[in-house]
Amino acid sequence: MLTVSLIIGTLAAIALWTGLSIYVLSVHRLRTATRRILADALEALEHADLMTLGAEARAARLAALLAGASRDLLMSALGGREIPDHLFAPLFQHLLTTWGRDGLVANASAHRTSRDKWRRITALRILVRANDRDALDLLARAVGQSDIDVADAALGLLGRSDSPRALDLLFAALRTQRHPAARVAAHIEHSPQPVVDRLRALLSDPDPVCRLWGATLLAREPDPTLEREIAALTADADPRVRKAAIQTLGKIGDEIGASCAFTLLKDAYPYVRAHAARALGELGREDQAEAVAALLGDGNWWVRHAAKESLEMMGSDIWPVLMRCLNHSDRFIRNGAAEVFQNLGVLDSLIVMEAASDDPAPLKIAMLQRIVNAGGVQFTDSLVERAGPILGPRIRQMVATVGLEHVGAH
Amino acid sequence: MAPLPIVALVTGAISLFYLVAVAGVLIARALTTGGRRDDTIERDDARSTSRFTIPVSIVVPIARGTTTLGAFVADLLALNYPEFEVILVCDAAAPTLLGELTGAWHTEARELFYRKTLPTSDVRRIYRSTTDPRLVIVDQESSDGYADAMNCGVNIARYRYVASIDPRIRMDRDALLRLMAQPLRDPGRIVGASQLVERRNGFACLSSIRTLMASRLVWRQRRLSLGGLDGVAVWRRDAVLKCNGFPAHAADPGLALMFAMQASGSGSRFVRDNGIFGTTDSAATWDRARAAGMRQRGAWRSLGTMLRHRGAIRWSTWLTFAHAELFVPLAHAVLLAAITAGALVGWTSWLTVASVLVLLAFGHAAVTAAALLVRGAAPHAPTELELKRLLLLTPAEFVVVRPALALGRLLMLSGPAQR
């Protein structure tokens, strides 16, 4: 009984596998065939003889070519960006003629299942590209909903639009913050429309999130009149706004920006201090190197890292400031200064010159001593390796001669 | 009938019933879903060029003895993503490898003072490329395995998210953008995400396709997730540090960390994305068996995590995970053991054993055929010829590969801890 049951079960499993395999292959063939239909139709549309036909004749010919194509297949083709405009128009017309506009608008209005979601996003893309009269209303509705995929697709479409209303909707989305502001900001930044005035208006918005994004997005606007307005935000009560303001001033600011950055080096929030340090580096303010170098010993790693990057941006002329850091009691400052020397190339230039000469200058040797002392053993080993097989041993010898070989920074 | 044969019969029947039920549900869902592409996230030009897209540190553990990386580093640095860095963590880098990297990327030794937040093996030297500042090479004295290399990479990483990518993976330029699609949706809550790396040949290809089906039909519905066996993952750095990094002595450090992250509460989510990151060649059968064993061990240990953090991870999430990793292999083993034992002592016949084996083989093959349907029109889908070849392979997979995997699981349950 057991054996018989199992044999029946086994035969059923074999039949199931066979049936599924045939089904999989038939679905694949069907998919290939329907793709072929679309490819053939697109190829035919490219031919001059079809394009020279009258609208009605072309539509009839197209209808014959696309007889086996499903609505979803057409939508998939129309919703992609690969299809050029001159092919989009006749295909879109065929879609409307065969299935009507109402269905497309209904698809773009709402969704329930994941398949519906795909249709909604695709329908939105098609209607926007076709400059449909209801496109912006549908996009507004999509942005107002909680589904991030639909909203993101709608925001992307709004970001590429040159309609002023599209920009209104984007800024409204930024204000409502139903979706991550960074996503909205990315699309605003890519908008082909001028946005300076609108961003300016955000600088005095009561919502700090709007102020910070207004300040952040203005970094791309090379307008010197903005500096004073953004500088005012460096005294904002919200640290995120101060950070955004100083970050932007680092890109578009000048004297006022540098002054604000200097003030914010002592801000209570580490990320504000870090961006203030970077801003001074971006502005090339070597005169502030001393103040930035003090942050090499900040309690927060990000601030120390930002200080190093800033000093590197200022260039090798700040070396006297770094030299004074090498004897500091704080090992983070010593390490940081040594690393900046290394990354600026000062160390390598010094080494190559002195190690290659027969009579290295004592002053330069002392300088080397202080730098490798601050950097430590591995720092020295990296230097020796970098110097190469000829100079490396000489450097090792120089370091050993002055008793540095096994000295670490801590 | 004596009690022992009854027990064997009952356990065998329960196992068979469980396997038939699970297969039936999967096949039904596959038939309903079909192979349609439900991609709602197409290539997003704004995100790929926006300065607001969260930067990523890509950590690549390089095994000892690796002498060449070929075009891998170039492929990584060519990824279409606004801001990222590449950290190669080498276990005692071979001179030929360093020579290759120096020749291609003009690397030089540069000391870097970084936060050693997680304990790791000593670093002998750090190299940076002078032509592409995004590339950093870390030469560890002697790495303690994958977890150690990843922790070292996490220490050095500058950015908010850290991805781990195996050097044998081939990917297209948008791969990182796809991987980061989920974290970019909700970086506050999504602490990690994984995507499948598809194996392109042999029986391993079938396993990849089934994993993809599980991602699309099963894990998609879950709020919390756990990554599959073959995949790449991206982690939010602060969440990794909060969990004290990749556990060095875990059988599957990535899996253990996924559990720990989600068990830490505060609404943290690890998302198993249903996309495909890239492809890789099939591993040798024994390597696959060993990996399956490590994962099995990790899966059993996850039960301990569940019990320690009751309420933080839903039992439904763990059961979904345990179903594929533990219960199905166990059901196969129990059924075959029961029926074989029965034949050995004369309760059943060898014809019965053969019937069960063929039943399991074709049942498994039917599930794989359903998975091929779901694989459908996703990018780089098999051609018709490849599809036929794969379908014909499906019945043989259970008989050829499963015994090796079962042996691997048995051995790894008591073998050395980590990979």
Side-chain angles (χ1 to χ4, degrees):
Chain A
M1 179 68 188
L2 173 67
T3 306
V4 169
S5 307
L6 284 171
I7 290 173
I8 292 170
T10 303
L11 292 172
I14 294 172
L16 179 64
W17 169 77
T18 308
L20 278 170
S21 299
I22 293 168
Y23 182 65
V24 167
L25 284 169
S26 65
V27 164
H28 180 87
R29 280 183 188 151
L30 187 64
R31 186 179 296 123
T32 307
T34 50
R35 280 181 180 159
R36 189 70 251 161
I37 292 171
L38 187 64
D40 289 344
L42 291 174
E43 205 179 304
L45 278 171
E46 291 279 21
H47 277 129
D49 58 344
L50 185 62
M51 296 306 287
T52 54
L53 291 176
E56 271 189 41
R58 188 167 62 234
R61 178 80 187 276
L62 204 52
L65 284 168
L66 291 170
S70 67
R71 185 171 177 270
D72 280 353
L73 177 68
L74 255 177
M75 282 180 69
S76 173
L78 286 166
R81 273 184 266 168
E82 296 85 18
I83 204 162
D85 290 341
H86 67 278
L87 297 181
F88 176 87
L91 282 176
F92 178 64
Q93 194 51 48
H94 173 76
L95 180 73
L96 293 185
T97 310
T98 313
W99 286 286
R101 178 180 170 273
D102 291 349
L104 202 58
V105 171
N107 284 153
S109 305
H111 72 277
R112 279 185 309 153
T113 65
S114 60
R115 189 66 183 155
D116 287 343
K117 189 197 298 196
W118 173 84
R119 285 198 186 98
R120 185 175 186 182
I121 292 174
T122 308
L124 283 169
R125 288 178 182 147
I126 294 170
L127 290 170
V128 166
R129 190 166 177 185
N131 288 320
D132 187 271
R133 60 182 185 269
D134 290 333
L136 283 173
D137 288 336
L138 292 165
L139 287 175
R141 190 170 172 170
V143 169
Q145 298 198 313
S146 58
D147 189 302
I148 185 73
D149 292 323
V150 173
D152 200 41
L155 289 169
L157 290 166
L158 289 169
R160 291 195 284 270
S161 169
D162 49 19
S163 158
R165 191 174 163 219
L167 213 50
D168 292 338
L169 291 170
L170 281 171
F171 276 85
L174 190 67
R175 283 202 161 82
T176 56
Q177 292 157 51
R178 193 185 195 103
H179 302 290
R183 303 291 283 263
V184 183
H187 295 299
I188 290 175
E189 195 165 64
H190 281 81
S191 172
Q193 301 184 59
V195 295
V196 176
D197 292 336
R198 290 179 189 251
L199 292 174
R200 246 183 169 125
L202 288 180
L203 297 180
S204 52
D205 196 283
D207 185 343
V209 173
C210 291
R211 294 200 299 277
L212 90 86
W213 282 107
T216 304
L217 287 166
L218 281 168
R220 287 278 171 97
E221 303 297 331
D223 184 345
T225 64
L226 288 169
E227 189 183 12
R228 203 170 283 278
E229 289 173 67
I230 295 173
L233 289 181
T234 59
D236 196 282
D238 193 306
R240 297 169 300 169
V241 178
R242 297 198 296 275
K243 170 231 163 189
I246 200 60
Q247 200 174 8
T248 293
L249 286 172
K251 301 207 174 10
I252 66 168
D254 200 345
E255 289 298 324
I256 298 174
S259 173
C260 294
F262 178 75
T263 306
L264 289 181
L265 290 178
K266 294 182 171 53
D267 195 276
Y269 287 81
Y271 55 84
V272 178
R273 296 197 298 277
H275 283 283
R278 269 203 196 92
L280 287 170
E282 284 164 344
L283 292 170
R285 295 303 296 251
E286 297 160 18
D287 57 316
Q288 304 295 347
E290 196 88 44
V292 173
L295 290 182
L296 290 173
D298 193 281
N300 184 285
W301 185 87
W302 293 111
V303 178
R304 298 197 298 274
H305 182 71
K308 278 190 271 184
E309 285 185 338
S310 178
L311 292 168
E312 286 169 25
M313 279 190 264
M314 289 177 188
S316 52
D317 288 345
I318 62 158
W319 70 267
V321 172
L322 295 174
M323 285 302 296
R324 288 194 285 278
C325 294
L326 294 176
N327 289 337
H328 204 283
S329 55
D330 186 330
R331 74 173 168 91
F332 287 116
I333 293 182
R334 295 198 304 269
N335 286 167
E339 190 178 340
V340 175
F341 261 123
Q342 169 195 260
N343 292 343
L344 282 173
V346 170
L347 184 61
D348 293 45
S349 304
L350 177 69
I351 294 308
V352 166
M353 278 190 319
E354 296 312 310
S357 78
D358 293 326
D359 185 22
L363 207 59
K364 298 277 172 64
I365 296 299
M367 200 171 161
L368 171 63
Q369 173 189 353
R370 288 170 69 189
I371 294 172
V372 296
N373 212 354
V377 175
Q378 275 197 294
F379 180 87
T380 311
D381 289 343
S382 288
L383 171 62
V384 168
E385 186 170 328
R386 208 159 59 240
I390 296 170
L391 285 179
R394 289 196 67 169
I395 291 164
R396 181 73 75 190
Q397 196 180 25
M398 250 192 315
V399 168
T401 302
V402 297
L404 287 173
E405 189 164 13
H406 297 291
V407 175
H410 44 87
Chain B
M1 206 177 184
L4 210 53
I6 295 172
V7 167
L9 199 65
V10 167
T11 51
I14 290 171
S15 300
L16 183 60
F17 178 74
Y18 174 74
L19 290 168
V20 169
V22 159
V25 167
L26 275 175
I27 290 169
R29 291 190 73 175
L31 288 170
T32 317
T33 307
R36 290 181 294 254
R37 284 182 66 180
D38 283 342
D39 329 356
T40 52
I41 302 170
E42 68 162 26
R43 179 182 165 155
D44 186 331
D45 291 337
R47 210 156 4 119
S48 67
T49 54
S50 172
R51 59 192 169 111
F52 306 126
T53 301
I54 300 174
V56 176
S57 296
I58 300 174
V59 177
V60 183
I62 308 287
R64 183 186 289 252
T66 303
T67 53
T68 179
L69 290 174
F72 177 70
V73 176
D75 288 346
L76 275 185
L77 292 169
L79 286 170
N80 179 27
Y81 200 82
E83 194 174 352
F84 65 97
E85 62 179 351
V86 174
I87 304 170
L88 308 180
V89 183
C90 305
D91 177 4
T96 42
L97 177 63
L98 288 176
E100 178 188 89
L101 291 167
T102 302
W105 302 103
H106 301 103
T107 59
E108 57 182 26
R110 290 261 187 110
E111 182 62 0
L112 172 69
F113 294 100
Y114 59 95
R115 295 162 295 177
K116 292 177 184 144
T117 318
L118 300 168
T120 69
S121 305
D122 289 339
V123 170
R124 188 187 76 84
R125 195 76 74 241
I126 296 176
Y127 300 87
R128 297 197 81 111
S129 166
T130 55
T131 50
D132 193 329
R134 297 174 298 171
L135 178 62
V136 176
I137 299 151
V138 180
D139 183 12
Q140 283 187 298
E141 296 266 1
S142 174
S143 174
D144 251 345
Y146 172 81
D148 188 62
M150 282 305 300
N151 287 336
C152 181
V154 168
N155 280 342
I156 290 173
R158 288 192 294 161
Y159 296 134
R160 191 175 175 192
Y161 276 87
V162 177
S164 66
I165 299 181
D166 187 281
R168 291 164 293 188
I169 294 171
R170 294 180 292 276
M171 70 216 95
D172 61 68
R173 292 192 67 222
D174 291 336
L176 186 57
L177 212 51
R178 287 196 302 275
L179 179 65
M180 283 296 291
Q182 292 294 335
L184 289 173
R185 289 173 66 159
D186 191 359
R189 268 191 291 237
I190 294 179
V191 293
S194 73
Q195 266 193 348
L196 175 72
V197 171
E198 197 175 32
R199 296 199 181 262
R200 294 297 285 175
N201 35 32
F203 289 113
C205 177
L206 299 176
S207 173
S208 285
I209 289 169
R210 280 195 303 276
T211 303
L212 187 66
M213 178 175 70
S215 298
R216 290 197 168 164
L217 299 185
V218 178
W219 287 104
R220 199 176 190 172
Q221 324 299 330
R222 306 236 71 88
R223 202 183 64 82
L224 300 180
S225 299
L226 296 157
L229 178 57
D230 287 329
V232 296
V234 64
W235 318 81
R236 210 178 70 199
R237 191 173 176 278
D238 64 305
V240 174
L241 293 175
K242 190 177 168 187
C243 296
N244 299 317
F246 290 79
H249 301 295
D252 189 329
L255 181 65
L257 184 58
M258 284 175 209
F259 267 98
M261 276 178 158
Q262 291 174 105
S264 65
S266 63
S268 302
R269 290 183 60 198
F270 187 95
V271 175
R272 179 163 160 167
D273 193 275
N274 59 10
I276 299 173
F277 180 85
T279 60
T280 189
D281 292 327
S282 298
T285 305
W286 175 242
D287 288 334
R288 283 189 60 208
R290 189 170 179 277
M294 289 295 189
R295 184 132 172 122
Q296 173 108 121
R297 204 157 148 183
W300 280 115
R301 287 189 176 170
S302 69
L303 181 55
T305 307
M306 284 294 298
L307 294 171
R308 279 195 300 277
H309 299 277
R310 261 181 227 124
I313 302 176
R314 289 180 185 168
W315 276 102
S316 59
T317 301
W318 186 81
L319 285 171
T320 305
F321 168 75
H323 151 75
E325 307 286 347
L326 300 175
F327 300 160
V328 167
L330 195 60
H332 285 145
V334 164
L335 177 57
L336 284 171
I339 212 77
T340 306
L344 282 171
V345 296
W347 301 328
T348 59
S349 67
W350 287 105
L351 180 61
T352 309
V353 175
S355 300
V356 165
L357 203 55
V358 175
L359 170 63
L360 288 177
F362 278 91
H364 188 73
V367 170
T368 307
L372 280 164
L373 180 68
V374 173
R375 175 67 174 82
H380 312 297
T383 60
E384 184 169 333
L385 189 61
E386 286 169 346
L387 209 51
K388 283 177 182 168
R389 189 180 60 82
L390 288 170
L391 285 165
L392 287 173
L393 270 182
T394 53
E397 188 194 5
F398 187 84
V399 175
V400 171
V401 176
R402 288 270 149 175
L405 296 183
L407 184 62
R409 288 187 175 109
L410 265 175
L411 291 176
M412 289 303 139
L413 275 175
S414 54
Q418 59 163 296
R419 63 174 166 133

